[in-house]
Amino acid sequence: PNTEWSEGGERGSGTLAYPGPEFELIPGMRLANIREGLEDYEFFAALQSEATRLDKTRDAKLLQRIGAALEMDVDIVASVFDWTKDRERLEAKRRQLAGLIREARDARAR
Protein backbone atom coordinates (compact mmCIF):
# COMPACT_ATOMS: atom_id res chain seq x y z
CA PRO A 1 0.00 0.00 0.00
CA ASN A 2 1.00 3.61 -0.44
CA THR A 3 1.30 4.27 3.28
CA GLU A 4 4.21 4.83 5.59
CA TRP A 5 4.29 2.08 8.14
CA SER A 6 6.78 0.45 10.43
CA GLU A 7 6.17 -3.14 11.44
CA GLY A 8 8.39 -2.93 14.50
CA GLY A 9 11.61 -4.48 13.36
CA GLU A 10 11.66 -8.12 12.34
CA ARG A 11 9.47 -9.32 9.50
CA GLY A 12 6.14 -10.57 10.85
CA SER A 13 6.96 -9.60 14.41
CA GLY A 14 3.55 -10.61 15.69
CA THR A 15 1.57 -8.25 13.50
CA LEU A 16 -2.10 -9.23 13.35
CA ALA A 17 -3.34 -6.66 10.83
CA TYR A 18 -1.73 -4.61 8.11
CA PRO A 19 -2.50 -1.15 6.76
CA GLY A 20 -4.43 -0.99 3.52
CA PRO A 21 -5.39 1.81 1.19
CA GLU A 22 -7.61 4.48 2.73
CA PHE A 23 -6.35 3.44 6.21
CA GLU A 24 -8.47 0.26 6.47
CA LEU A 25 -7.06 -2.74 8.28
CA ILE A 26 -6.27 -5.92 6.39
CA PRO A 27 -6.28 -8.97 8.69
CA GLY A 28 -3.14 -11.06 8.55
CA MET A 29 -2.77 -14.82 8.62
CA ARG A 30 -2.09 -14.78 12.39
CA LEU A 31 -5.41 -13.04 13.07
CA ALA A 32 -7.25 -15.51 10.81
CA ASN A 33 -5.66 -18.43 12.70
CA ILE A 34 -6.56 -16.93 16.07
CA ARG A 35 -10.17 -16.58 14.88
CA GLU A 36 -10.23 -20.22 13.74
CA GLY A 37 -8.80 -21.33 17.08
CA LEU A 38 -11.53 -19.46 18.94
CA GLU A 39 -14.16 -21.05 16.70
CA ASP A 40 -12.67 -24.48 17.43
CA TYR A 41 -12.86 -23.75 21.16
CA GLU A 42 -16.53 -22.80 20.72
CA PHE A 43 -17.22 -26.20 19.10
CA PHE A 44 -15.68 -28.03 22.07
CA ALA A 45 -17.49 -25.80 24.60
CA ALA A 46 -20.85 -26.18 22.84
CA LEU A 47 -20.51 -29.96 22.66
CA GLN A 48 -19.52 -30.20 26.32
CA SER A 49 -22.49 -28.02 27.26
CA GLU A 50 -24.89 -30.15 25.22
CA ALA A 51 -23.50 -33.31 26.84
CA THR A 52 -24.40 -32.05 30.32
CA ARG A 53 -28.05 -31.80 29.24
CA LEU A 54 -28.36 -35.39 28.02
CA ASP A 55 -29.90 -38.26 29.97
CA LYS A 56 -27.05 -40.45 31.25
CA THR A 57 -29.01 -43.67 30.85
CA ARG A 58 -30.99 -43.11 27.67
CA ASP A 59 -28.13 -41.35 25.84
CA ALA A 60 -25.21 -43.42 27.21
CA LYS A 61 -23.87 -44.44 23.78
CA LEU A 62 -24.02 -40.87 22.48
CA LEU A 63 -22.33 -39.59 25.65
CA GLN A 64 -19.55 -42.14 25.16
CA ARG A 65 -18.98 -40.91 21.58
CA ILE A 66 -19.05 -37.30 22.78
CA GLY A 67 -16.50 -38.07 25.51
CA ALA A 68 -14.15 -39.59 22.94
CA ALA A 69 -14.58 -36.62 20.59
CA LEU A 70 -13.82 -34.13 23.36
CA GLU A 71 -10.38 -35.72 23.82
CA MET A 72 -7.85 -33.99 21.58
CA ASP A 73 -6.51 -36.37 18.96
CA VAL A 74 -2.73 -36.70 19.19
CA ASP A 75 -2.51 -36.60 15.40
CA ILE A 76 -3.95 -33.07 15.61
CA VAL A 77 -2.08 -31.75 18.66
CA ALA A 78 0.70 -33.81 20.17
CA SER A 79 2.25 -30.92 22.12
CA VAL A 80 2.57 -27.13 22.02
CA PHE A 81 5.41 -27.67 19.56
CA ASP A 82 3.90 -30.46 17.45
CA TRP A 83 0.56 -30.07 15.66
CA THR A 84 -0.92 -30.98 12.30
CA LYS A 85 -0.70 -28.75 9.26
CA ASP A 86 -3.24 -30.97 7.47
CA ARG A 87 -6.23 -28.73 6.80
CA GLU A 88 -8.47 -31.67 5.89
CA ARG A 89 -7.74 -33.35 9.25
CA LEU A 90 -8.79 -30.18 11.06
CA GLU A 91 -11.95 -29.86 8.97
CA ALA A 92 -12.80 -33.52 9.66
CA LYS A 93 -12.58 -32.90 13.42
CA ARG A 94 -14.78 -29.81 13.06
CA ARG A 95 -17.36 -31.83 11.10
CA GLN A 96 -17.27 -34.53 13.78
CA LEU A 97 -17.88 -32.02 16.58
CA ALA A 98 -20.65 -30.22 14.64
CA GLY A 99 -22.37 -33.53 13.90
CA LEU A 100 -22.28 -34.56 17.55
CA ILE A 101 -23.66 -31.17 18.64
CA ARG A 102 -26.56 -31.71 16.22
CA GLU A 103 -27.10 -35.28 17.48
CA ALA A 104 -27.11 -34.13 21.10
CA ARG A 105 -29.65 -31.40 20.36
CA ASP A 106 -31.84 -33.87 18.47
CA ALA A 107 -31.59 -36.36 21.36
CA ARG A 108 -32.74 -33.70 23.83
CA ALA A 109 -35.68 -32.84 21.59
CA ARG A 110 -36.99 -36.45 21.73
Side-chain angles (χ1 to χ4, degrees):
N2 295 326
T3 61
E4 287 190 31
W5 175 64
S6 171
E7 61 182 299
E10 299 298 317
R11 276 252 173 254
S13 59
T15 305
L16 299 177
Y18 299 87
E22 306 300 320
F23 301 102
E24 77 248 25
L25 287 177
I26 299 172
M29 186 169 41
R30 287 177 186 84
L31 189 58
N33 288 331
I34 289 169
R35 182 184 61 239
E36 283 189 4
L38 289 171
E39 290 169 354
D40 291 343
Y41 175 82
E42 289 173 354
F43 271 119
F44 281 95
L47 183 56
Q48 189 170 25
S49 176
E50 289 297 328
T52 64
R53 296 182 179 116
L54 293 173
D55 182 278
K56 289 181 170 94
T57 304
R58 186 188 71 194
D59 301 312
K61 288 182 182 179
L62 177 56
L63 283 166
Q64 187 176 25
R65 290 176 35 228
I66 288 172
L70 288 173
E71 294 294 321
M72 182 49 63
D73 303 17
V74 294
D75 69 319
I76 294 177
V77 177
S79 74
V80 295
F81 303 108
D82 184 20
W83 65 90
T84 187
K85 313 299 186 283
D86 181 359
R87 197 106 176 106
E88 180 51 38
R89 180 64 184 102
L90 295 172
E91 291 300 326
K93 184 66 175 185
R94 291 173 181 137
R95 284 190 301 272
Q96 177 194 30
L97 296 173
L100 287 169
I101 291 168
R102 191 174 304 118
E103 280 188 61
R105 289 179 179 167
D106 289 347
R108 282 192 310 122
R110 287 186 266 135

